[in-house]
């Protein structure tokens, strides 16, 4: 994420790892994951509303279609917005939709809210801010652009660290794109690479108002504790809000924690009330059905067969829900279950590595080969980053071999000419099943940064529906088809030679990328 990673440990202290408390799974089928609803809201939907996308081009075209058709809200959270022609086309779509919403009425119900990271979005003379200022100038009452600034980048540290380098301290890394009641969950940023030849994952939840409301409120909450972009390219905090790097850090983090947890807890309460009403309605419906026949059956909504659980990780604010759920899933997966885990940047936390090596399930871990790493071929220090990942991978593979776990834990490298790899997530296949009943999809990479430094969000999608399970299975297979299995000979290839200085420095910097 930055080409200035090597000095970062000298500038800020690391954060100790906190492992998650154990949590028992429920016994049967997809419902064994209902314990997640004790931590976050549970959204029950029909599997027919879920569509799995497979390509960057499909993702980009969907973004444009959804922007153009939005009537009430457009909410986009990303690390940054790029500055190329494809990104400009997205901005033009926003402008066209905003203009159309004003025609004939002079006022509009359409609101556009964009959340980006301050440091990444401010990089360079032409940046995310300059791309969006024309929208702010033309539609000031309808457009909000919030720039999150980590509270850990402050004082002398902030003054001394140059551009790019400052991004190692902490980022707004959530990627959610929603339009009215349609939500796209992904790990992809709003940049041309992610629209053309950088492989990621993308899931569309159609006509899901409760999920859309939740993520709208989440982005609003983070936006409220972020810097607000002004029409003259300055930034300011909302009135009465503690400043992220000029104000008291503890007070700021407490306010941020409170705002985000209010969103999570109020959504949980709403969903529990909705479940209660639905239960009573179904009981009444059964009674009516026995009295009035099939007409009542047609009037009742179908029972949900798919459940969405939003998992939030914001360690700077003391929120560790995603970490707790992920560690529990790894801990409790039974013998002969299979977990397919993929990350664009293979740098698992020690806790995740220990669980993978010490538990019973089979693991197939997909990571980027050096040639499809986003830093491959970069100039200067950044050019050594793929080698650092090779070194981390080799160390983990050596540990797998030392424990004689090569059959149970398998590494695979994604390789595709002309492409880079950024997909992340997890698919869980229960013992004896050929299809996954759960997937995790969103922004976390399962590394130290995701757990401790950045703001992250993903969802657990749990489904009983075979057609959706098949979609998820095909997505997994398609990604893994472009990979080769890692063996000891992999690291004997000439292009896997890691220089001594990289080996020495990697343990010092691995918590920053």
């Amino acid at each position: 994420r930055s080409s200035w990673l090597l000095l970062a440990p000298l500038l800020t202290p690391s954060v100790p790892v906190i492992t998650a408390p154990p949590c028992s799974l429920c016994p049967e089928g997809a419902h064994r994951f209902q314990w997640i609803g004790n931590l976050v809201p549970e959204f029950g939907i029909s599997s027919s509303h879920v569509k799995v996308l497979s390509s960057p081009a499909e993702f980009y075209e969907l973004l444009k279609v959804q922007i153009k058709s939005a009537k009430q809200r457009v909410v986009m959270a990303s690390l940054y917005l790029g500055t190329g022609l494809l990104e400009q086309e997205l901005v033009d779509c926003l402008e066209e939709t905003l203009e159309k919403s004003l025609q004939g009425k002079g006022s509009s119900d359409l609101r556009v809210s964009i959340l980006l990271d301050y440091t990444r979005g401010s990089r360079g003379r032409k940046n995310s801010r300059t791309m969006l200022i024309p929208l702010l100038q033309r539609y000031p009452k309808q457009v909000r652009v919030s720039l999150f600034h980590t509270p850990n980048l402050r004082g002398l540290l902030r003054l001394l660290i140059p551009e790019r380098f400052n991004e190692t301290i902490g980022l707004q890394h959530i990627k959610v794109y929603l339009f009215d009641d349609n939500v796209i969950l992904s790990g992809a940023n709003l940049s041309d690479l992610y629209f053309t030849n950088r492989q990621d994952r993308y899931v569309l939840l159609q006509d899901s108002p409760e999920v859309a409301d939740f993520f709208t409120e989440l982005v609003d909450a983070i936006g409220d504790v972020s810097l607000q972009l002004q029409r003259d390219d300055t930034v300011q905090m909302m009135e009465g809000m503690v400043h992220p790097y000029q104000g008291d850090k503890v007070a700021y983090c407490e306010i941020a924690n409170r705002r985000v947890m209010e969103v999570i807890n109020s959504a949980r309460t709403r969903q529990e009330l909705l479940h209660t009403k639905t239960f009573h309605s179904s009981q009444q419906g059964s009674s009516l059905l026995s009295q009035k026949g099939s007409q009542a059956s047609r009037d009742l909504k179908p029972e949900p067969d798919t459940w969405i659980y939003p998992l939030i990780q914001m360690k700077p604010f003391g929120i560790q829900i995603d970490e707790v759920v992920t560690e529990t899933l790894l801990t409790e997966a039974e013998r002969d279950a299979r977990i397919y885990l993929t990350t664009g940047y293979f740098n698992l936390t020690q806790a995740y590595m220990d669980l993978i090596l010490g538990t019973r399930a089979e693991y197939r871990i997909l990571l980027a080969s050096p040639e499809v790493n986003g830093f491959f071929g970069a100039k200067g220090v950044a050019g050594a980053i793929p080698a650092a990942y090779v070194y981390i991978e080799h160390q983990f593979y050596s540990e797998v071999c030392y424990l004689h776990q090569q059959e149970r834990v398998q590494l695979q490298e994604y390789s595709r000419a002309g492409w880079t790899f950024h997909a992340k997530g997890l698919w869980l296949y229960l013992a004896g099943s050929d299809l996954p009943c759960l997937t995790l999809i969103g922004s976390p990479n399962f590394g130290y940064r995701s757990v401790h430094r950045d703001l992250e969000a993903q969802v657990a999608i749990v489904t009983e529906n075979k057609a959706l399970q098949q979609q998820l299975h095909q997505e997994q297979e398609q990604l893994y088809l472009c990979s080769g299995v890692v063996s000891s000979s992999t690291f004997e290839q000439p292009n896997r030679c890691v220089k001594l200085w990289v080996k020495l420095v990697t343990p010092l910097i691995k918590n920053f990328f």
Side-chain angles (χ1 to χ4, degrees):
R1 292 172 183 163
S2 171
S3 60
W4 294 90
L5 294 160
L6 294 177
L7 297 179
L10 306 178
L11 298 170
T12 185
S14 62
V15 183
V17 173
I18 299 175
T19 53
C23 178
S24 296
L25 299 178
C26 304
E28 295 298 330
H31 285 293
R32 67 170 57 200
F33 303 108
Q34 285 184 324
W35 57 267
I36 305 175
N38 296 327
L39 302 172
V40 296
E42 175 189 83
F43 302 102
I45 65 172
S46 168
S47 56
S48 61
H49 293 182
V50 184
K51 183 182 180 186
V52 180
L53 312 181
S54 61
S55 73
E58 196 177 1
F59 169 58
Y60 181 61
E61 291 305 317
L62 180 62
L63 285 175
K64 290 193 294 182
V65 167
Q66 290 292 319
I67 290 172
K68 288 177 179 178
S69 61
K71 298 291 187 293
Q72 278 81 43
R73 59 183 168 189
V74 172
V75 179
M76 300 199 290
S78 184
L79 174 60
Y80 68 105
L81 171 70
T83 58
L85 294 176
L86 295 179
E87 298 92 319
Q88 185 59 56
E89 194 174 338
L90 277 186
V91 175
D92 292 343
C93 286
L94 284 168
E95 184 170 3
E96 179 186 323
T97 302
L98 284 160
E99 188 61 36
K100 190 166 62 177
S101 73
L102 290 172
Q103 288 173 1
K105 292 191 292 185
S107 64
S108 170
D109 295 329
L110 178 65
R111 295 291 177 268
V112 174
S113 177
I114 298 172
L115 172 66
L116 306 173
D117 181 72
Y118 177 89
T119 52
R120 183 64 181 87
S122 302
R123 185 201 289 183
R125 187 169 292 179
K126 187 179 181 183
N127 53 40
S128 305
R129 292 162 65 162
T130 59
M131 292 288 287
L132 293 168
I133 282 171
L135 291 182
L136 277 174
Q137 291 173 338
R138 190 163 182 184
Y139 309 98
K141 293 181 179 178
Q142 293 171 262
V143 178
R144 180 192 195 191
V145 178
S146 304
L147 302 168
F148 173 79
H149 191 294
T150 178
N152 294 325
L153 182 63
R154 55 175 47 234
L156 277 177
L157 193 65
R158 188 175 188 278
L159 292 174
L160 294 175
I161 303 183
E163 200 172 80
R164 286 176 174 267
F165 194 27
N166 54 15
E167 296 165 29
T168 63
I169 308 305
L171 296 166
Q172 190 310 108
H173 199 243
I174 296 168
K175 291 84 186 276
V176 175
Y177 310 106
L178 73 88
F179 315 89
D180 293 341
D181 292 338
N182 300 327
V183 184
I184 302 171
L185 298 154
S186 180
N189 292 305
L190 296 173
S191 173
D192 54 4
L193 291 173
Y194 297 90
F195 304 150
T196 51
N197 63 347
R198 177 164 287 185
Q199 183 64 57
D200 216 298
R201 298 180 65 209
Y202 335 83
V203 168
L204 169 64
L205 306 179
Q206 296 171 294
D207 191 22
S208 302
E210 290 92 359
V211 181
D213 288 346
F214 173 84
F215 279 108
T216 298
E217 291 171 16
L218 179 69
V219 171
D220 281 346
I222 303 166
D224 287 349
V225 299
S226 299
L227 295 154
Q228 307 301 304
L229 183 63
Q230 306 298 304
R231 286 177 282 178
D232 59 357
D233 198 19
T234 59
V235 293
Q236 63 183 44
M237 291 299 290
M238 288 174 58
E239 192 174 345
M241 188 61 67
V242 177
H243 199 283
Y245 62 85
Q246 292 175 351
D248 181 82
K249 181 179 175 181
V250 173
Y252 173 81
C253 291
E254 284 177 352
I255 290 169
N257 173 287
R258 193 157 58 245
R259 284 287 289 112
V260 173
M261 290 309 298
E262 279 172 1
V263 171
I264 294 169
N265 291 329
S266 64
R268 270 195 73 217
T269 302
R270 283 200 307 270
Q271 289 308 113
E272 285 169 2
L273 287 171
L274 186 63
H275 293 170
T276 304
K277 287 179 183 176
T278 303
F279 175 77
H280 288 310
S281 296
S282 65
Q283 294 296 306
Q284 291 168 5
S286 299
S287 175
L288 280 170
L289 186 58
S290 62
Q291 295 170 31
K292 297 187 178 179
S294 61
Q295 180 60 44
S297 177
R298 285 195 295 270
D299 292 340
L300 289 173
K301 281 189 173 181
E303 287 290 313
D305 59 6
T306 300
W307 296 269
I308 310 296
Y309 300 95
L311 309 179
I312 311 303
Q313 184 75 12
M314 300 179 181
K315 190 68 171 287
F317 304 156
I319 299 171
Q320 299 169 248
I321 296 169
D322 181 62
E323 179 185 4
V324 168
V325 172
T326 302
E327 289 191 2
T328 304
L329 289 172
L330 300 183
T331 301
E332 299 292 342
E334 72 267 38
R335 188 180 303 279
D336 296 327
R338 284 174 295 140
I339 291 178
Y340 289 77
L341 185 150
T342 178
T343 173
Y345 304 103
F346 183 73
N347 185 16
L348 303 178
T349 66
Q350 191 62 49
Y352 291 162
M353 284 194 287
D354 290 345
L355 286 170
I356 289 168
L357 294 173
T359 51
R360 298 158 293 178
E362 293 180 15
Y363 286 86
R364 300 292 179 262
I365 303 173
L366 182 62
L367 52 126
S369 68
E371 296 76 19
V372 299
N373 185 293
F375 292 103
F376 185 74
K379 295 177 182 177
V381 170
I385 291 174
Y389 282 115
V390 168
Y391 181 60
I392 293 168
E393 176 190 353
H394 194 181
Q395 284 186 310
F396 181 76
Y397 180 77
S398 298
E399 187 72 11
V400 171
C401 294
Y402 175 76
L403 296 170
H404 305 291
Q405 299 289 314
Q406 299 98 308
E407 290 299 313
R408 190 179 65 82
V409 180
Q410 192 174 93
L411 296 179
Q412 295 178 229
E413 288 186 352
Y414 186 94
S415 183
R416 189 176 178 185
W419 285 64
T420 54
F421 184 69
H422 197 252
K424 68 261 316 216
L426 176 154
W427 299 259
L428 173 59
Y429 294 67
L430 297 177
S433 176
D434 293 328
L435 297 173
C437 65
L438 176 147
T439 191
L440 301 182
I441 179 169
S443 63
N445 279 297
F446 305 104
Y448 189 94
R449 286 200 62 130
S450 292
V451 171
H452 292 281
R453 296 191 179 280
D454 298 340
L455 305 192
E456 306 278 11
Q458 63 180 341
V459 296
I461 302 177
V462 178
T463 185
E464 295 177 337
N465 180 269
K466 294 299 181 188
L468 178 54
Q469 289 179 357
Q470 188 66 43
Q471 270 196 80
L472 294 170
H473 176 66
Q474 288 171 352
E475 178 200 30
Q476 176 271 115
E477 279 198 322
Q478 203 64 37
L479 289 171
Y480 280 69
L481 272 175
C482 297
S483 71
V485 176
V486 171
S487 66
S488 55
S489 62
T490 302
F491 302 101
E492 295 168 5
Q493 299 170 20
N495 65 340
R496 300 306 174 97
C497 180
V498 180
K499 294 177 181 177
L500 179 61
W501 73 268
V502 175
K503 293 180 180 179
L504 294 173
V505 169
T506 297
L508 302 175
I509 67 168
K510 64 185 293 185
N511 291 346
F512 292 85
F513 64 92

